[in-house]
């Protein structure tokens, strides 16, 4: 998700995890946010943005493609 507690966002959390692992990991940002600057930031980090609500079948299909 994009909006998280403690003034963190999903993009920052994904980047932090990747930094700690010292490698890129498959990740997507699932969010209801539609602000253009958010989409640009996520895409610049190589993240797929999936808009909420997401149907379970679509999520399953996405996960199968990245794994």
């Amino acid at each position: 998700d994009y909006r998280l507690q403690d003034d963190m966002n999903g993009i920052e959390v994904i980047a932090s995890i990747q930094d700690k692992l010292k490698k890129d990991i498959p990740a997507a940002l699932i969010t209801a946010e539609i602000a253009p600057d958010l989409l640009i930031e996520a895409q610049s980090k190589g993240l797929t943005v999936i808009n909420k609500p997401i149907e379970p079948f679509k999520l399953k299909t996405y996960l199968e493609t990245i794994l």
Side-chain angles (χ1 to χ4, degrees):
D1 204 353
Y2 181 73
R3 293 191 184 271
L4 303 173
Q5 63 186 10
D6 299 328
D7 296 323
M8 297 245 352
N9 68 56
I11 296 171
E12 294 169 341
V13 169
I14 292 167
S16 175
I17 292 169
Q18 290 177 337
D19 286 345
K20 287 181 197 282
L21 295 176
K22 305 222 183 305
K23 66 179 184 176
D24 287 338
I25 56 170
L29 188 65
I30 302 173
T31 183
E33 296 288 327
I34 58 169
D37 56 330
L38 165 83
L39 300 176
I40 292 168
E41 180 183 4
Q43 290 172 345
S44 75
K45 306 284 186 188
L47 300 174
T48 298
V49 177
I50 301 173
N51 293 321
K52 286 182 182 178
I54 183 170
E55 296 174 23
F57 177 77
K58 288 184 179 180
L59 180 57
K60 180 180 180 283
T61 301
Y62 172 74
L63 291 173
E64 289 172 346
T65 64
I66 65 167
L67 298 176

